[in-house]
Amino acid sequence: MANLKWKTPRSKTRSRRAANWKLGAVTTVQCPQCHQPKRPHFACANCGTYNGRQVVKVQDEPAG
Ligand SMILES: [Zn+2]
């Protein structure tokens, strides 16, 4: 393999490695029951339903 003429500068290496560390925004869809945003393929955090049936007990008001 041919030799590289210049080594990759430290700044370029570090910049490349730093480009992928941030987390993106969480994808949400609207809950068909309560119309609150929820994560797709997850039970709704607000009403506790998934696919039209209750799968998680819902507390009235989370303490704290
Ligand atoms: Zn819901």
Side-chain angles (χ1 to χ4, degrees):
M1 199 176 92
N3 284 330
L4 298 171
K5 206 163 187 179
W6 291 283
K7 70 175 183 179
T8 309
R10 227 180 317 179
S11 60
K12 189 165 180 172
T13 303
R14 288 173 180 178
S15 153
R16 184 177 60 238
R17 287 175 185 173
N20 204 25
W21 69 277
K22 272 189 179 176
L23 297 172
V26 173
T27 309
T28 56
V29 294
Q30 198 184 53
C31 174
Q33 302 293 322
C34 62
H35 305 289
Q36 291 290 307
K38 73 172 197 74
R39 297 189 63 188
H41 310 289
F42 278 75
C44 176
N46 188 61
C47 62
T49 59
Y50 188 81
N51 206 12
R53 87 196 152 88
Q54 196 79 26
V55 289
V56 184
K57 282 181 191 166
V58 187
Q59 299 104 327
D60 291 347
E61 199 59 40

